[in-house]
Amino acid sequence: MTTVPDASVVICCYTEERWDDLCAAIDSVRAQTRTPGEIILVTDHAPELALRLRATHGDVEVIENCGPRGLSGARNTGIAAARHAIVAFLDDDAVAEPGWLAALSAPFARPDVAGVGGRVVP
């Protein structure tokens, strides 16, 4: 039987104006039926936001985007920091259903699976 590898969840953020949404996103990852191996918050050229996150969310890794400004640079920074075989992305203004990570991870039990995607509900 093949096991499913652990997953890193990366949430990229760039403004304190979305603070409540960001906190809801983080809480939804903490409440997953499949516990993530780690939660990584990547701030996109927003040092004040990084400081606030470090002060209030000590159980997650907060790193600053070291690449070009924007989602692509922030995601690449998150990928570089991830320590697990699966990297799942969640938007800072999204809330994941409790089984989201389990559903995304399950196909990786098959050796021929290299990536998966999920449905987005606005």
Side-chain angles (χ1 to χ4, degrees):
M1 180 172 137
T2 305
T3 60
V4 178
D6 283 337
S8 299
V9 175
V10 175
I11 303 173
C12 301
C13 51
Y14 65 96
T15 179
E16 289 190 63
E17 292 176 15
R18 289 183 162 181
W19 182 259
D20 291 340
D21 291 336
L22 176 57
C23 290
I26 295 166
D27 288 343
S28 77
V29 174
R30 288 179 180 139
Q32 290 299 298
T33 57
R34 176 181 172 87
T35 303
E38 64 186 343
I39 302 171
I40 301 170
L41 304 177
V42 182
T43 60
D44 189 24
H45 300 275
E48 298 83 17
L49 177 57
L51 287 171
R52 185 175 180 190
L53 286 166
R54 286 184 187 108
T56 58
H57 292 82
D59 62 326
V60 300
E61 183 175 357
V62 179
I63 59 175
E64 297 183 48
N65 178 6
C66 59
R69 184 179 301 273
L71 185 57
S72 179
R75 284 187 171 179
N76 286 334
T77 297
I79 291 168
R83 294 184 296 262
H84 298 287
I86 299 170
V87 179
F89 296 101
L90 184 68
D91 288 344
D92 63 347
D93 63 347
V95 173
E97 294 293 326
W100 168 76
L101 188 58
L104 280 178
S105 300
F108 289 98
R110 293 180 39 180
D112 60 335
V113 173
V116 298
R119 183 176 72 138
V120 176
V121 180

